[in-house]
């Protein structure tokens, strides 16, 4: 009996630790949202799931310590739905980030991003005018583009040096004009118009050297946000898959221990002996 309780208590402690990992993933997404992605609604599913696991694990731990069958049953019951929700979140995260990726550019270290490469719910959410106004304002306020500037021994980097950089999706899509537009490099966020403007790409006319504008209204910027989100969500999803596998293992073991607990409770109540008679019955002739 005590061994089963100890096992359930240990499992609840481990799931409590896993909840911290999930909460950490949500907080990491939140910090990314404040600096680059600027889509604060995306981290809430993780935070809610992590907080739920934390509360339920504490309830299960208390149930194991105090031999409270109801709390232990509640822990297993709610944990089943949490596992289902985590599975749903992982499937959703992969589904909405399934399409789209950066395209390589000849003789460039960075990738370029095109909105037409993306589709689905996440794209519709990002390109929505009311939403994009908030996202672009957030990117502008984060000063991510102004942070792309580099100097070497007090001298700004050359175009060749800039071309070999591994830019983030946000930096590539929002902080410079598309390469095909033929703009002439002055510095990382200042480009003069050249003779090779691509008439088929509307972003070429949307680019502005105004540091408050740059390419924040470009489709490439929206695609860069989507590319950044895909990277962030895929990293978190890998952690979630590992956590899910561990939760399922703990849940199965917890169910077995709980059944064993109930069986012992039904067969031999704790602190009482099976034999209730202290003397054998006398045989009357």
């Amino acid at each position: 009996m005590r061994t089963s309780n100890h096992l359930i208590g240990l499992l609840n402690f481990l799931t409590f630790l896993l909840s911290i990992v999930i909460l950490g993933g949500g907080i990491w997404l939140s910090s990314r949202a404040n600096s680059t992605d600027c889509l604060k609604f995306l981290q809430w599913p993780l935070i809610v799931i992590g907080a739920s696991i934390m509360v339920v694990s504490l309830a299960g731990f208390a149930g194991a310590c105090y031999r409270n069958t109801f709390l232990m049953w509640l822990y297993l019951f709610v944990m089943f739905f949490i596992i289902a929700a985590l599975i749903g979140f992982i499937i959703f995260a992969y589904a909405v980030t399934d399409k789209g990726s950066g395209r390589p550019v000849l003789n460039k270290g960075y990738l370029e991003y095109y909105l037409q490469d993306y589709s689905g719910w996440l794209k519709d959410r990002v390109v929505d005018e009311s939403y994009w106004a908030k996202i672009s304002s957030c990117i502008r306020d984060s000063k991510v583009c102004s942070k792309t500037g580099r100097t070497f021994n007090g001298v700004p980097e050359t175009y060749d040096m800039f071309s070999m950089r591994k830019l983030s999706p946000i930096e590539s899509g929002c902080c410079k004009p598309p390469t095909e537009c033929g703009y002439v490099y002055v510095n990382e966020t200042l480009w003069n118009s050249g003779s090779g403007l691509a008439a088929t790409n509307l972003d070429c006319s949307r680019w502005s050297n105004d540091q408050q504008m740059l390419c924040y209204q470009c489709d490439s910027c929206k695609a860069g946000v989507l590319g950044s989100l895909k990277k962030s969500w895929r990293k978190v999803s890998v952690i979630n898959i590992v956590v899910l596998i561990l939760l399922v293992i703990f849940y199965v073991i917890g169910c077995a221990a709980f059944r064993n607990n109930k069986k012992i409770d039904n067969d031999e109540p704790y602190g009482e002996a099976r034999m209730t008679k202290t003397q054998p019955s006398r045989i009357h002739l």
Side-chain angles (χ1 to χ4, degrees):
M1 171 66 162
R2 290 177 178 175
T3 301
S4 296
N5 278 341
H6 292 161
L7 177 59
I8 294 177
L10 176 61
L11 292 176
N12 278 284
F13 178 71
L14 292 176
T15 53
F16 176 79
L17 295 179
L18 286 176
S19 72
I20 296 177
V21 175
I22 297 177
L23 273 176
I27 294 171
W28 179 74
L29 274 181
S30 177
S31 65
R32 294 275 301 172
N34 288 332
S35 61
T36 54
D37 297 338
C38 296
L39 289 178
K40 298 182 181 181
F41 67 91
L42 294 175
Q43 74 271 13
W44 282 111
L46 272 184
I47 293 176
V48 170
I49 291 174
S52 300
I53 294 176
M54 182 175 291
V55 172
V56 173
S57 297
L58 290 175
F61 187 77
C65 291
Y66 294 101
R67 293 185 59 209
N68 189 310
T69 303
F70 173 75
L71 285 178
M72 293 164 62
W73 176 86
L74 181 65
Y75 159 75
L76 293 173
F77 179 77
V78 177
M79 187 58 71
F80 172 81
F81 290 99
I82 291 176
I83 290 174
L86 190 57
I87 292 174
F89 178 78
I90 292 171
I91 294 174
F92 173 77
Y94 272 94
V96 299
T97 59
D98 179 50
K99 295 183 179 180
S101 60
R103 298 183 189 179
V105 184
L106 184 63
N107 298 325
K108 306 295 182 201
Y110 52 78
L111 302 175
E112 295 208 331
Y113 297 82
Y114 295 85
L115 191 59
Q116 59 265 33
D117 292 343
Y118 297 85
S119 63
W121 175 86
L122 193 57
K123 175 186 175 181
D124 295 338
R125 191 79 166 176
V126 169
V127 301
D128 180 82
E129 291 186 6
S130 60
Y131 242 91
W132 182 249
K134 298 176 183 178
I135 297 171
S136 59
S137 177
C138 179
I139 296 174
R140 185 183 300 108
D141 293 341
S142 71
K143 302 187 184 301
V144 62
C145 290
S146 62
K147 295 175 183 176
T148 60
R150 287 184 181 179
T151 58
F152 296 89
N153 297 323
V155 179
E157 66 179 348
T158 64
Y159 176 66
D160 290 337
M161 297 168 65
F162 175 78
S163 297
M164 292 298 104
R165 285 177 58 177
K166 302 289 185 182
L167 300 177
S168 71
I170 298 288
E171 291 171 341
S172 177
C174 305
C175 304
K176 67 170 189 61
T179 301
E180 64 187 275
C181 296
Y183 277 85
V184 179
Y185 174 87
V186 178
N187 62 41
E188 292 83 0
T189 58
L190 185 64
W191 299 71
N192 292 331
S193 58
S195 57
L197 295 181
T200 57
N201 192 336
L202 296 178
D203 285 350
C204 296
S205 59
R206 291 170 179 154
W207 167 261
S208 172
N209 281 324
D210 183 344
Q211 297 301 296
Q212 295 299 311
M213 293 292 295
L214 298 179
C215 220
Y216 296 139
Q217 298 305 315
C218 295
D219 287 344
S220 64
C221 188
K222 298 172 183 177
V225 170
L226 291 167
S228 184
L229 283 172
K230 181 174 182 177
K231 284 187 175 182
S232 299
W233 275 39
R234 288 298 172 90
K235 288 178 182 178
V236 173
S237 292
V238 171
I239 298 175
N240 285 344
I241 290 173
V242 175
V243 170
L244 176 64
I245 294 172
L246 293 175
L247 280 181
V248 170
I249 294 173
F250 293 163
Y251 183 79
V252 171
I253 296 174
C255 286
F258 179 68
R259 284 197 298 269
N260 187 49
N261 248 7
K262 288 190 66 178
K263 182 178 180 181
I264 295 175
D265 278 340
N266 293 332
D267 291 347
E268 185 177 349
Y270 184 68
E272 298 182 15
R274 284 175 177 268
M275 184 174 292
T276 58
K277 296 182 180 180
T278 58
Q279 299 182 22
S281 300
R282 293 181 180 181
I283 301 176
H284 298 279
L285 297 177

